[in-house]
Amino acid sequence: MQKWKDRPPSRDPFDAAFEASDAIIGKHASMIAKAAPPLVGFGIFLLYFYRNRFYPSFDLFQFSSLLLAAAVIGFVIVGVVVLAMFVPGAMLFRSFLNTTAVKERVQEAMPSADDKRDSVFWQMVGLVYFGPFCFCALGLLIAALVDASNLLWTALLWPAVTAVLFGTLVTWRFNLGRNSIYEFTWVAYFSQLAFVVLLLLVLQNSAPVIGKLGPSLQNIVIWTIPILMAALVTLCSMAHFGGWKVAIHFALFFGLLVAGFSGALTTLPEKTVKSLGLGAYEAEIIMLDPAFCNRDLSELGIAEDCTLRNVHVVWSFGDAILLRPSLDEARHVEIPTEFVRSIVQSASRGK
């Protein structure tokens, strides 16, 4: 048996995971590209069916075309979060920090001692990444709490103020050229816009969960989210120092993590089914064929005029539609499609 002192040091877990995932993707990229979309689409529908405790009957050939549509919608919803985690760092590193003039100035500002070099490095990270993200996020949150009606203008103008302020600080701290402040400002502005989109998505998707918390806990969570998002985007941005592949892995991992905890990933089945118009929406009125109402159906919520009002449409594809007559009750009513004359959807469907 080999002695402990003679064994080679253990590999870094992150490096091992990165190399393994990179090898799998590189070797099976073609198969993944072909199989992933239908599998993701099928998983979205299957989870929706499981949550609502039903399994509809439909033509598998017709349904197969919906799998790709569901996958596309799912990739777009989650992809926006992942892209917003990736873009800020890509712009700041590729268009500013990695330019020849800035690299030379930063290297000149680095002292020879290792401990002092680390200090200067973290100063750069704070002024280029975390500081602007945190300052922009907290300013936007304050503006939203004070006057939400002007949130759009604030989301467009506050990143510009942030970019100018930190552009001045970065230029002064690292003694960059006069033109560097202009170069940093426009790059930082667009990176901040991407970060603002991410922050608003997270706050919007987290709102239902935050609303269920107590007042004191709500305040803690609301003020923690901007700082946490600034820290996570800073980590993804720093990954660009390791190259494109490392940055993509970081953005994908943290993007899925953020999407899951914010609710964008957990509510994906409902959003997908709703976007396809297959269900998960409210209907103001559903008119049925009189032939279906030749008996007392009042227990199902069907009125004398053979209509259903203010019902939740769970599923409307296939041989029957599945309804939830009362929005407060978890019972379903299945009506054959042939007896449904028209469905008037609620105006709040897209909200």
Side-chain angles (χ1 to χ4, degrees):
M1 180 181 293
Q2 189 180 26
K3 295 182 179 181
W4 170 78
K5 64 178 182 178
D6 297 328
R7 295 178 185 175
S10 301
R11 296 179 62 194
D12 183 83
F14 173 77
D15 290 337
F18 171 75
E19 291 178 5
S21 63
D22 191 45
I24 292 173
I25 293 175
K27 184 177 181 180
H28 304 288
S30 178
M31 184 181 67
I32 293 174
K34 294 177 182 178
L39 288 176
V40 170
F42 182 76
I44 289 173
F45 282 117
L46 190 63
L47 184 57
Y48 182 76
F49 299 154
Y50 173 77
R51 285 180 177 178
N52 289 277
R53 298 294 189 274
F54 82 101
Y55 295 95
S57 59
F58 44 74
D59 188 299
L60 186 60
F61 179 75
Q62 293 178 341
F63 185 68
S64 62
S65 62
L66 295 174
L67 296 181
L68 294 179
V72 170
I73 294 174
F75 286 145
V76 168
I77 293 175
V78 179
V80 169
V81 177
V82 175
L83 191 64
M85 299 285 291
F86 177 83
V87 167
M91 295 188 65
L92 287 168
F93 181 76
R94 305 295 170 180
S95 300
F96 182 73
L97 284 180
N98 205 39
T99 58
T100 302
V102 174
K103 285 174 65 176
E104 291 178 351
R105 289 288 186 177
V106 172
Q107 288 175 356
E108 291 175 1
M110 290 288 183
S112 55
D114 290 339
D115 55 342
K116 294 183 178 180
R117 290 174 67 89
D118 291 341
S119 176
V120 173
F121 172 78
W122 287 113
Q123 289 178 30
M124 181 185 69
V125 170
L127 292 175
V128 176
Y129 296 129
F130 182 73
F133 293 142
C134 195
F135 184 78
C136 183
L138 292 175
L140 189 65
L141 180 60
I142 293 173
L145 295 175
V146 172
D147 185 9
S149 61
N150 293 320
L151 183 60
L152 177 59
W153 285 108
T154 305
L156 294 174
L157 296 178
W158 189 246
V161 175
T162 303
V164 172
L165 174 61
F166 281 88
T168 304
L169 293 176
V170 169
T171 303
W172 169 77
R173 173 60 185 85
F174 295 101
N175 194 26
L176 304 178
R178 182 178 299 178
N179 293 330
S180 295
I181 186 172
Y182 303 109
E183 295 174 359
F184 179 85
T185 297
W186 77 264
V187 173
Y189 175 70
F190 287 105
S191 68
Q192 292 298 323
L193 286 181
F195 176 71
V196 165
V197 170
L198 174 65
L199 181 64
L200 293 178
L201 284 175
V202 171
L203 291 174
Q204 181 183 18
N205 287 294
S206 304
V209 177
I210 297 175
K212 297 178 182 178
L213 304 176
S216 58
L217 191 56
Q218 278 186 13
N219 290 329
I220 295 175
V221 173
I222 289 174
W223 288 103
T224 301
I225 287 177
I227 300 174
L228 180 61
M229 293 307 305
L232 291 179
V233 175
T234 297
L235 285 175
C236 293
S237 300
M238 292 172 60
H240 284 274
F241 287 99
W244 286 107
K245 290 184 178 180
V246 177
I248 291 173
H249 277 72
F250 265 77
L252 184 60
F253 174 78
F254 285 110
L256 292 175
L257 189 68
V258 169
F261 279 99
S262 67
L265 193 61
T266 54
T267 58
L268 185 60
E270 286 73 19
K271 290 180 179 178
T272 302
V273 172
K274 186 176 182 179
S275 299
L276 291 172
L278 300 177
Y281 61 85
E282 282 66 49
E284 292 183 0
I285 182 173
I286 297 179
M287 299 183 65
L288 303 176
D289 193 311
F292 185 77
C293 304
N294 55 6
R295 55 194 180 279
D296 184 14
L297 299 174
S298 57
E299 291 185 0
L300 301 180
I302 300 177
E304 294 181 358
D305 59 352
C306 204
T307 60
L308 278 164
R309 299 178 183 274
N310 299 321
V311 297
H312 182 82
V313 180
V314 179
W315 186 254
S316 60
F317 180 76
D319 298 331
I321 66 171
L322 197 68
L323 309 173
R324 190 177 300 148
S326 175
L327 299 181
D328 299 326
E329 296 182 11
R331 61 170 182 163
H332 294 158
V333 174
E334 187 173 327
I335 301 176
T337 307
E338 59 183 288
F339 293 113
V340 179
R341 286 189 171 183
S342 63
I343 299 178
V344 180
Q345 297 178 13
S346 173
S348 62
R349 180 192 169 210
K351 295 181 182 180

